[in-house]
Amino acid sequence: MRLQAVLVLVASYTFTSAVADSFQSDCSAIASGFNISNATVWFSEYVPAGTNLSLPENNVTCALSYQVVTADICRVVLYVATSTTSGISMEAWLPRNWTGRFLSTGNGGLAGCIGYADLAYTTGLGFSAVGANNGHNGTSGGAFYNQPEVIKDFAYRSIHTNVVVGKQISKAFYQKTHTNSYYFGCSTGGRQGLKSAQDYPEDFDGIVAGSAASAFNNLTSWSGHFFTATGPTNASTFILADLWPIIHKDILKQCDTLDGAADGILEDPSLCLYRPEGLLCAPNTTNTTGCLTTPQISTVRKIFSPIYGPDRSLTYPRMQPGSELLGAPQILYNGEPFSYTVDWFQYAVYNDTTWNPATLSPRDYAAASRIDPGNIQTWNGDLSPFRARGGKLLTYHGMEDQIITSENSARYYEHVIDTMAAAPSTLDSFYRYFRISGMGHCAGGEGAWSIGQTSLGPTTPLGPSSNVLMALVQWVENGTAPETIRGTKFVGDNPTAGVDFTRKHCRYPFRNYHVGPGDPKNETNWECIQQGSVRDKWLL
Ligand SMILES: *[C@@H]1O[C@H](CO)[C@@H](O)[C@H](O)[C@H]1NC(C)=O
Ligand SMILES: *[C@@H]1O[C@H](CO)[C@@H](O)[C@H](O)[C@H]1NC(C)=O
Ligand SMILES: *[C@@H]1O[C@H](CO)[C@@H](O)[C@H](O)[C@H]1NC(C)=O
Ligand SMILES: *[C@@H]1O[C@H](CO)[C@@H](O)[C@H](O)[C@H]1NC(C)=O
Ligand SMILES: *[C@@H]1O[C@H](CO)[C@@H](O)[C@H](O)[C@H]1NC(C)=O
Ligand SMILES: *[C@@H]1O[C@H](CO)[C@@H](O)[C@H](O)[C@H]1NC(C)=O
Ligand SMILES: *[C@@H]1O[C@H](CO)[C@@H](O)[C@H](O)[C@H]1NC(C)=O
Ligand SMILES: *[C@@H]1O[C@H](CO)[C@@H](O)[C@H](O)[C@H]1NC(C)=O
Ligand SMILES: *[C@@H]1O[C@H](CO)[C@@H](O)[C@H](O)[C@H]1NC(C)=O
Ligand SMILES: *[C@@H]1O[C@H](CO)[C@@H](O)[C@H](O)[C@H]1NC(C)=O
Ligand SMILES: *[C@@H]1O[C@H](CO)[C@@H](O)[C@H](O)[C@H]1NC(C)=O
Ligand SMILES: *[C@@H]1O[C@H](CO)[C@@H](O)[C@H](O)[C@H]1NC(C)=O
């Protein structure tokens, strides 16, 4: 028995070190072996699991100077020209323990920042993964000014190029074509996922697109319109941050139990038609600390209303009620111009650095949508080529999203329904949208928000019922589509402190309903029900 154990140990040791040697030498050799058009490989290096990788080249505004690597990888760093005046910086991370799966990460905001955290997370799960800088470096949109090719990279070409080149690198390194190709991103990353499904259906077998910044020009108008609604901080229409918790409480008073549970979480905020009038200050009061003046009531109404173009066409749906405590007042209702809106209009839409965000009007909404720099809108509702090639699209959105209203994800779903003349039961075969209650923008919030969309280290839920990426893999590879996605809420959002509660989030158009009287923290006390339609709101 003992001898056998020793032999097994020796055998596995020999095996591991032999593999280590060839993996490492293959990695160093690969940089010189490539012949990929328009690509310049800077270097390739072996990085063992656990390395705290220093990223001195990463633009300071990306605010990430190191990344802990979770698997033994071969890291390839290169530049790929996309035109004579543009190009992307990209990286391929190739894990030793490869599952045969390929994956592209996405970006965020207006940023040119490689998603290193997602590269680490997904290579730890055995994907060969790529990430690119979206055609420019840093978080600002300044690089778009007078650079239409850089805008194209941002709108679609960075991801597509990254994938085409990344698949070649993966194949050259492993001497084997990947089995399936995946996409994984949120926010701008969610938009990039939808764009791929719409315009590059061959790129991916499966796409996770979270909290998507689709209808991008219109979203940018919407983000900027809050400043015109609140005015600057000294305007009578402005609402001090202190008042928002009071408004939030009033919202819960009116809407919390619409889902059958008074737990402070709105499962379906689209049902919440909030009326702020109850908070109106008493006539002639001089103390306005706990109440709203008439101009402020009107501001609240504007915030929770859709915006329209000059022809009364819908530009963008309303902010969903519930995000007040997650930073919406600090980010969007803070009495200052929204920086992405300023950048997008100045550097991309109007090519005019004197454009004044205080003048933003429905005419600007229409102009941005019409000019559509780089074809960025991402609103093609015909997903039939993606469906025809067997692609699966898993989307999600937080119901407390404080940056991109979740109502727009439902609107895109309905747009696909209309464009493809399909019913939800038909879309179910290739496109599912999960509404994650109590979740902010891509992560965080008071609900069961952890769905594997981001790595929480060893405590990240990995089973397909609790992890959007693994749910997608199971759907693509086994044909088992997720009915619900279980979210996990950790105690105090500290994964090492244990699980507070879980909740199974429903796919649209189902909504979650508490079939009490049991504890709302027990997931078995909830049911996905289909009740009514919210789409009439957009047809006003
Ligand atoms: C690289 O490929 C191109 C065309 O695909 C070819 O013209 C060129 O000779 C190749 N270069 C090397 C070094 O193999
Ligand atoms: C990685 O290195 C950075 C800078 O040297 C340091 O601040 C950080 O704490 C390190 N992280 C880990 C997990 O060791
Ligand atoms: C290489 O870049 C040029 C523009 O500089 C572009 O026209 C061409 O399509 C690119 N080639 C590939 C294979 O992407
Ligand atoms: C390799 O991946 C498989 C699952 O794909 C996992 O079971 C195994 O533990 C991994 N091995 C190492 C050394 O990471
Ligand atoms: C972005 O940064 C990388 C790394 O420093 C550099 O190689 C690349 O040229 C930069 N790209 C642009 C467009 O400035
Ligand atoms: C870093 O990013 C900022 C903001 O996007 C940009 O202005 C700056 O040029 C970038 N720096 C480098 C060295 O690329
Ligand atoms: C942007 O405006 C500048 C200055 O008016 C002009 O020189 C340039 O051609 C414009 N660029 C584009 C892409 O319209
Ligand atoms: C408010 O004040 C105005 C003028 O000072 C007065 O005419 C009015 O009656 C007051 N209203 C109430 C409800 O006290
Ligand atoms: C003003 O109203 C708030 C909230 O209703 C209350 O807490 C505060 O004591 C009042 N201040 C004065 C000076 O009456
Ligand atoms: C964007 O807004 C314009 C102006 O209201 C409107 O005509 C257009 O239909 C909107 N597009 C989308 C995708 O929301
Ligand atoms: C697919 O199903 C088989 C059999 O049930 C299971 O062993 C395998 O882990 C599944 N693979 C995925 C990716 O879910
Ligand atoms: C959740 O509810 C079910 C059904 O009522 C019950 O069997 C189970 O014990 C409950 N779980 C917890 C953790 O309370």
Side-chain angles (χ1 to χ4, degrees):
M1 286 280 284
R2 272 192 74 179
L3 183 64
Q4 241 175 7
V6 169
L7 281 176
V8 169
L9 265 178
V10 168
S12 72
Y13 174 76
T14 312
F15 177 72
T16 314
S17 63
V19 169
D21 287 344
S22 77
F23 185 83
Q24 290 181 37
S25 54
D26 286 355
C27 182
S28 347
I30 194 166
S32 51
F34 278 133
N35 185 12
I36 295 175
S37 53
N38 295 340
T40 309
V41 180
W42 299 131
F43 63 87
S44 57
E45 63 177 355
Y46 170 66
V47 186
T51 303
N52 186 356
L53 183 66
S54 172
L55 303 166
E57 304 268 279
N58 203 21
N59 186 290
V60 291
T61 64
C62 295
L64 191 72
S65 53
Y66 65 88
Q67 176 63 52
V68 176
V69 175
T70 55
D72 290 359
I73 58 159
C74 175
R75 177 187 180 215
V76 186
V77 178
L78 63 158
Y79 179 84
V80 186
T82 52
S83 77
T84 52
T85 54
S86 63
I88 63 168
S89 291
M90 65 170 277
E91 300 203 7
W93 287 24
L94 310 158
R96 179 199 299 280
N97 194 11
W98 187 45
T99 55
R101 299 179 183 125
F102 174 84
L103 180 143
S104 170
T105 60
N107 304 95
L110 292 186
C113 297
I114 291 175
Y116 287 105
D118 286 347
L119 285 175
Y121 176 32
T122 55
T123 47
L125 292 172
F127 294 84
S128 64
V130 293
N133 76 339
N134 226 359
H136 66 282
N137 288 327
T139 53
S140 124
F144 303 145
Y145 188 51
N146 273 322
Q147 298 294 340
E149 296 296 335
V150 175
I151 296 176
K152 281 186 206 163
D153 283 347
F154 179 71
Y156 61 89
R157 200 168 45 190
S158 175
I159 293 289
H160 178 63
T161 306
N162 187 29
V163 167
V164 170
V165 172
K167 285 177 178 174
Q168 292 174 55
I169 292 175
S170 182
K171 185 176 179 185
F173 184 67
Y174 295 112
Q175 298 286 304
K176 214 154 86 184
T177 307
H178 62 273
T179 50
N180 287 286
S181 166
Y182 294 94
Y183 176 83
F184 182 67
C186 194
S187 194
T188 274
R191 186 194 63 74
Q192 291 167 322
L194 291 185
K195 189 71 170 169
S196 301
Q198 293 168 12
D199 294 358
Y200 294 96
E202 290 308 321
D203 281 357
F204 302 109
D205 299 292
I207 291 173
V208 175
S211 316
S214 60
F216 185 83
N217 300 292
N218 295 28
L219 162 63
T220 309
S221 294
W222 178 78
S223 319
H225 102 282
F226 295 108
F227 177 53
T228 64
T230 63
T233 54
N234 61 0
S236 63
T237 43
F238 183 76
I239 299 170
L240 282 171
D242 303 3
L243 275 170
W244 281 104
I246 294 165
I247 299 169
H248 181 70
K249 221 181 205 173
D250 198 40
I251 287 172
L252 290 185
K253 199 167 98 190
Q254 293 182 29
C255 299
D256 192 8
T257 56
L258 291 175
D259 55 21
D263 62 348
I265 297 171
L266 308 182
E267 289 298 321
D268 185 353
S270 69
L271 299 177
C272 179
L273 304 175
Y274 174 60
R275 301 207 66 114
E277 295 81 15
L279 294 177
L280 188 62
C281 299
N284 293 356
T285 186
T286 50
N287 180 2
T288 57
T289 31
C291 61
L292 298 176
T293 62
T294 303
Q296 289 174 327
I297 291 278
S298 149
T299 301
V300 173
R301 281 210 200 91
K302 281 185 188 162
I303 284 171
F304 296 122
S305 299
I307 59 168
Y308 300 93
D311 59 354
R312 295 300 290 164
S313 59
L314 176 67
T315 301
Y316 204 76
R318 66 170 192 165
M319 174 58 101
Q320 86 271 292
S323 52
E324 310 75 46
L325 292 192
L326 280 184
Q330 288 73 21
I331 298 165
L332 295 174
Y333 327 145
N334 61 5
E336 283 166 29
F338 190 66
S339 72
Y340 292 165
T341 304
V342 178
D343 283 9
W344 189 247
F345 275 88
Q346 289 192 346
Y347 302 133
V349 175
Y350 288 139
N351 182 36
D352 173 5
T353 54
T354 66
W355 180 77
N356 176 1
T359 65
L360 179 73
S361 77
R363 287 182 48 181
D364 299 304
Y365 310 166
S369 166
R370 188 180 61 246
I371 295 167
D372 190 16
N375 185 23
I376 199 171
Q377 191 76 307
T378 314
W379 201 252
N380 175 0
D382 181 9
L383 298 179
S384 45
F386 184 67
R387 175 175 62 180
R389 60 91 79 216
K392 309 291 182 210
L393 174 62
L394 191 166
T395 68
Y396 65 85
H397 209 126
M399 294 294 111
E400 290 181 0
D401 194 315
Q402 68 280 43
I403 297 180
I404 300 177
T405 181
S406 59
E407 298 214 352
N408 198 53
S409 281
R411 185 169 74 108
Y412 180 67
Y413 186 97
E414 298 290 352
H415 178 56
V416 175
I417 292 260
D418 291 346
T419 310
M420 297 181 69
S425 54
T426 308
L427 258 51
D428 268 351
S429 68
F430 73 99
Y431 169 26
R432 293 184 178 217
Y433 164 44
F434 294 90
R435 294 193 283 178
I436 314 299
S437 61
M439 181 170 99
H441 189 58
C442 296
E446 56 210 321
W449 62 263
S450 178
I451 53 172
Q453 77 276 51
T454 180
S455 176
L456 298 171
T459 41
T460 296
L462 292 179
S465 58
S466 307
N467 182 298
V468 278
L469 179 55
M470 297 323 288
L472 178 71
V473 166
Q474 192 182 47
W475 191 8
V476 166
E477 297 181 13
N478 273 4
T480 310
E483 294 296 310
T484 57
I485 297 288
R486 174 185 289 109
T488 305
K489 175 69 176 178
F490 291 101
V491 177
D493 282 338
N494 174 6
T496 57
V499 173
D500 181 354
F501 66 100
T502 60
R503 191 164 295 174
K504 291 198 270 180
H505 301 294
C506 306
R507 72 179 190 280
Y508 186 87
F510 291 96
R511 68 188 179 92
N512 224 351
Y513 194 80
H514 182 243
V515 289
D519 184 1
K521 287 193 172 180
N522 184 335
E523 66 172 35
T524 66
N525 295 326
W526 292 84
E527 226 171 66
C528 295
I529 62 169
Q530 194 160 13
Q531 189 181 299
S533 164
V534 296
R535 74 203 314 265
D536 299 345
K537 278 201 320 210
W538 304 307
L539 302 175
L540 291 174

